[in-house]
Amino acid sequence: MHGQNPVFIPGPTNIPDRLRQAMNIQTRDHRAPDFVEVLAPVLEDLKKVFKTKNGQIITFPASGTGGWEASITNTLSPGDKVLVGRYGMFSHRWIDLCQRHNLDVEVIECEWGTGAPADLFGERLAADKAGEIKAVLVTHNETATGVLSDIAAVRKAMNSASHDAMLYVDCVSSLGSMDFRMDEWGVDLAVSGSQKGFMLSTGMAIVAASEKAMEASKTAKCPRCFFDFKDMVAANAGGGYPYTPPLQLIFGLRESLDMLFEEGLDNVFARHFRIAQGIREAARAWNMPLCAKTPDLYSHSVSAIYVPEGLNSDILTNHAYDNYGVSFGVGLGEMAGKAFRIGHLGMLSDVLALSGVATIEMAMKDLDYPIELGAGVAAAQEYYRTTAGASLSKAA
Ligand SMILES: *Cc1c(COP(=O)(O)O)cnc(C)c1O
């Protein structure tokens, strides 16, 4: 019966029944003339989630990493300089990806638990009089540490430095769960995927490119074939795909967008905030700090929680899995063994969140953590109990 338990990993996320059914489709001919009626509205509606008017939506059959690779290779040339902060496992992986594509990667090392260093970006850009830096790369929601970065602040710093670099943002674990404003924040490339806020199976990378990024793609020299923007955009314009599309995910996205719009994006974000807040109340009751250093950095889609010194968080997550059949996120990179993560994005309610808090609490008690059984659950219950009601009818 373990298959009935929700997962509390920060992606892939739990799949609502409605989306599992939407993805269960018979083969259709993607070269049929009416396929455009399936694909075009999905691409158009995705713009509303990115909050872009003129951005170009580009999808690929890939996980989020493929979306990042596509963004880099379509808009940059080998040797181009990019500026990036390393403050978690995901920002680290983007650095690695850029290095393997022979970009000149300038890394700003940041303490894990902090976010994108807008001020340092600004200083560095202001000093770059020759305009060598072509792009600034930011992970919006650092899933390894549960840190949400302020993209508006990064844009402001770039503007203050009067620098022309493009802004690339990984929003894989934030889009559809927390507010994202591509146009307002002047984002040139936004990268996401199907398996987090969209609550679908893994397999579709979802990218939004600004007009400036599309212009850069005309001269960028990094090699690409499968991930070529040009081929995808041209095929999409005719209603098709340059190769076989992941049909089930296109149908799934249609339904996922409908769900998000029915609930209302603002209500979706409010739900994520409220669920996250209850989990943070539980962590406080356990007396276990979050990796995120300050409340303004708190992610509402994942919480990374330090276990007490001398205890190993991997043993905790393994115990929860082995004894209760529930998955939690392990500590990644510098957080390995020191922190576990509770993913709380996508299809989640307060009731489901409580089951996660209760489960990890049982595992802690089994392993003699210095906690009182029920303390975290009670703290979350109290928060949910006193904030319930408002969004329930819309989130049905
Ligand atoms: C999940 C995730 C990714 C993408 O990972 P894939 O496994 O390639 O889909 C990228 N960045 C962040 C911040 C993520 O959370």
Side-chain angles (χ1 to χ4, degrees):
M1 287 299 282
H2 281 172
Q4 290 294 318
N5 291 337
V7 293
F8 291 94
I9 51 176
T13 61
N14 301 291
I15 306 176
D17 288 343
R18 189 171 154 188
L19 295 188
R20 290 177 57 189
Q21 280 156 14
M23 286 189 281
N24 181 4
I25 51 159
Q26 181 55 277
T27 294
R28 274 183 64 159
D29 175 10
H30 63 278
R31 301 200 191 282
D34 62 354
F35 188 66
V36 65
E37 292 160 29
V38 174
L39 182 60
V42 169
L43 299 179
E44 193 57 34
D45 280 348
L46 278 168
K47 289 188 194 174
K48 298 179 193 159
V49 183
F50 283 99
K51 297 194 176 164
T52 181
K53 247 185 150 67
N54 298 323
Q56 175 76 50
I57 303 292
I58 305 175
T59 61
F60 291 107
S63 76
T65 305
W68 198 262
E69 181 149 351
S71 300
I72 294 298
T73 55
N74 278 278
T75 57
L76 295 166
S77 303
D80 277 355
K81 191 186 259 304
V82 299
L83 183 63
V84 49
R86 176 170 19 225
Y87 44 87
M89 200 57 195
F90 289 89
S91 39
H92 170 78
R93 281 180 49 197
W94 302 136
I95 292 166
D96 174 48
L97 187 144
C98 291
Q99 286 168 338
R100 293 200 218 180
H101 279 290
N102 296 314
L103 299 180
D104 176 5
V105 188
E106 186 170 325
V107 179
I108 298 180
E109 296 291 348
C110 309
E111 194 183 351
W112 288 34
T114 64
D119 294 349
L120 296 178
F121 282 152
E123 281 172 29
R124 182 63 190 89
L125 291 169
D128 180 35
K129 299 288 180 225
E132 284 180 347
I133 297 168
K134 300 295 176 215
V136 177
L137 278 50
V138 179
T139 300
H140 186 206
N141 188 63
E142 178 45 84
T143 315
T145 57
V147 164
L148 183 71
S149 284
D150 185 347
I151 305 300
V154 173
R155 168 46 69 192
K156 200 166 157 222
M158 293 173 72
N159 290 349
S160 301
S162 302
H163 200 286
D164 201 35
M166 288 189 287
L167 176 57
Y168 295 37
V169 180
D170 169 343
C171 55
V172 181
S173 62
S174 54
L175 194 76
S177 307
M178 293 177 287
D179 199 9
F180 188 82
R181 305 180 180 195
M182 176 162 176
D183 288 357
E184 189 181 316
W185 297 341
V187 174
D188 291 296
L189 279 148
V191 180
S192 194
S194 53
Q195 81 273 23
K196 297 195 181 171
F198 290 109
M199 307 168 283
L200 297 164
S201 304
T202 313
M204 175 112 76
I206 304 168
V207 176
S210 71
E211 287 166 315
K212 187 172 170 182
M214 291 310 292
E215 196 55 37
S217 74
K218 292 179 184 162
T219 51
K221 295 201 172 47
C222 281
R224 66 265 184 188
C225 170
F226 181 83
F227 285 130
D228 202 317
F229 279 4
K230 182 160 51 65
D231 296 346
M232 185 56 77
V233 171
N236 285 176
Y241 233 66
Y243 33 71
T244 315
L247 206 62
Q248 76 287 4
L249 286 169
I250 294 172
F251 278 79
L253 256 185
R254 173 69 276 152
E255 199 72 18
S256 168
L257 289 162
D258 289 346
M259 283 181 74
L260 292 173
F261 299 152
E262 282 166 25
E263 185 176 349
L265 284 180
D266 287 343
N267 295 320
V268 172
F269 303 151
R271 174 166 55 82
H272 279 79
F273 172 82
R274 181 169 167 271
I275 286 171
Q277 196 64 16
I279 285 168
R280 291 191 281 260
E281 290 294 330
R284 200 211 308 255
W286 295 325
N287 208 11
M288 288 160 56
L290 298 178
C291 296
K293 300 267 177 221
T294 49
D296 57 307
L297 295 170
Y298 289 169
S299 162
H300 309 311
S301 63
V302 55
S303 296
I305 301 171
Y306 282 115
V307 299
E309 200 124 353
L311 294 168
N312 182 337
S313 60
D314 288 344
I315 295 176
L316 178 67
T317 49
N318 283 339
H319 182 86
Y321 187 78
D322 291 341
N323 283 268
Y324 302 110
V326 178
S327 289
F328 293 87
V330 297
L332 293 176
E334 290 183 15
M335 302 292 164
K338 297 183 196 159
F340 69 98
R341 295 172 300 148
I342 302 183
H344 35 82
L345 74 164
M347 182 202 77
L348 217 60
S349 63
D350 44 13
V351 171
L352 282 175
L354 283 171
S355 72
V357 172
T359 304
I360 200 72
E361 197 164 80
M362 287 194 286
M364 288 177 192
K365 192 71 194 169
D366 294 346
L367 296 172
D368 294 325
Y369 273 53
I371 58 145
E372 195 183 321
L373 192 67
V377 172
Q381 282 174 319
E382 189 58 25
Y383 180 77
Y384 292 145
R385 194 177 69 75
T386 52
T387 56
S391 59
L392 194 59
S393 55
K394 291 174 192 120

